[in-house]
């Protein structure tokens, strides 16, 4: 069972600033790369960068090269919910996540739909990701019970200086009560948020 140390030292913002100021440039770059996978300049560039038609075409070509047998869930999404492909799984999101590598982005999109079908089943995977009537999560009693019991599990904090969303996960996540819920319910909880 996971637990939190109640004896670990508390680092104040002032101490954190002092420690950071004592680092050399190379150490600071390593930290940024560790946290974001990119240095600060690259992160800002990717956030500002527009997707070109050529990049979308390359993404589509990469998707077309994936054998149809390996993209069955994605193909079903094309048939059952083409509108969700744009509203919930826009190629832009996958291209940004994969630093504009069309091959990696296409593979990630295919894996996304595989996981979505595995998690929600074919009856619900192609519905909007919503708790409302007609949504993939409508009537999922275990998920709703978990959300009622842990309403503040995820908290969205103010964006950082670079406009990135900060999500705080409450320690309740590691409690005995949270672990009473099925793996599927926990995965759906994360997927929804």
């Amino acid at each position: 069972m996971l637990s939190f140390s109640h004896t670990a030292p508390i680092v104040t913002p002032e101490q954190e600033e002092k420690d950071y100021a004592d680092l050399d440039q190379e150490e600071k770059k390593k930290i940024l790369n560790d946290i974001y996978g990119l240095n600060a300049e690259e992160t800002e560039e990717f956030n500002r960068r527009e997707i070109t038609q050529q990049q979308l075409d390359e993404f589509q070509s990469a998707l077309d090269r994936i054998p149809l047998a390996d993209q069955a869930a994605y193909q079903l999404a094309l048939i059952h919910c083409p509108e969700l492909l744009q509203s919930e799984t826009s190629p832009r999101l996958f291209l940004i996540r994969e630093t504009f590598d069309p091959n990696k982005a296409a593979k990630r999109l295919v894996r996304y739909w595989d996981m979505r079908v595995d998690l929600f089943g074919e009856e619900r995977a192609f519905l909007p990701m919503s708790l409302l009537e007609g949504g993939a999560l409508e009537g999922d009693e275990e998920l709703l019970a978990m959300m009622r019991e842990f309403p503040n599990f995820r908290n969205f904090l103010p964006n950082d200086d670079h406009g990135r969303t900060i999500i705080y996960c409450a320690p309740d996540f590691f409690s005995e009560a949270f672990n009473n819920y099925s793996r599927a319910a926990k995965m759906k909880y994360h997927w929804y948020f």
Side-chain angles (χ1 to χ4, degrees), residues 77 80-88 126:
H80 294 293
C81 60
E83 68 287 349
L84 284 183
L85 291 173
Q86 279 306 311
S87 65
E88 292 187 13
F126 307 113

Side-chain angles (χ1 to χ4, degrees), residues 49-59 91-92 95 100:
R49 196 165 166 186
E50 292 295 318
I51 305 294
T52 65
Q53 187 57 50
Q54 179 182 347
Q55 289 169 315
L56 291 172
D57 293 344
E58 289 171 358
F59 174 83
R92 182 181 194 285
L95 283 164
F100 299 92

Side-chain angles (χ1 to χ4, degrees), residues 38-78:
L38 302 168
N39 66 41
E41 294 82 26
E42 289 172 322
T43 301
E44 287 180 25
E45 176 191 336
F46 283 124
N47 287 340
R48 286 193 310 266
R49 196 165 166 186
E50 292 295 318
I51 305 294
T52 65
Q53 187 57 50
Q54 179 182 347
Q55 289 169 315
L56 291 172
D57 293 344
E58 289 171 358
F59 174 83
Q60 187 59 52
S61 293
L63 200 52
D64 293 342
R65 286 191 300 275
I66 297 173
L68 285 176
D70 294 342
Q71 53 170 299
Y74 172 75
Q75 290 297 318
L76 286 172
L78 280 172

Side-chain angles (χ1 to χ4, degrees), residues 104-167:
K104 288 181 180 178
K107 288 176 186 172
R108 181 175 287 275
L109 175 65
V110 167
R111 283 192 315 268
Y112 171 92
W113 281 101
D114 286 344
M115 175 69 94
R116 188 165 168 153
V117 169
D118 285 348
L119 192 55
F120 294 95
E122 285 190 28
E123 319 74 51
R124 294 188 169 265
F126 307 113
L127 298 173
M129 197 53 53
S130 169
L131 292 164
L132 301 176
E133 187 176 335
L137 302 167
E138 176 193 7
D140 188 323
E141 293 305 321
E142 184 182 23
L143 176 64
L144 293 171
M146 187 168 59
M147 291 173 86
R148 279 190 296 274
E149 188 171 352
F150 300 99
N152 297 317
F153 164 67
R154 278 218 172 138
N155 296 289
F156 292 86
L157 302 178
N159 288 354
D160 70 4
D161 293 340
H162 300 285
R164 293 178 294 245
T165 301
I166 299 172
I167 302 172

Side-chain angles (χ1 to χ4, degrees), residues 9 25 30 37 65 70 93 104 115 126 136 172-173 190-191:
Q25 283 304 109
K30 284 181 183 177
R65 286 191 300 275
D70 294 342
L93 301 172
K104 288 181 180 178
M115 175 69 94
F126 307 113
D172 290 349
F173 176 64
H190 289 293
W191 196 281

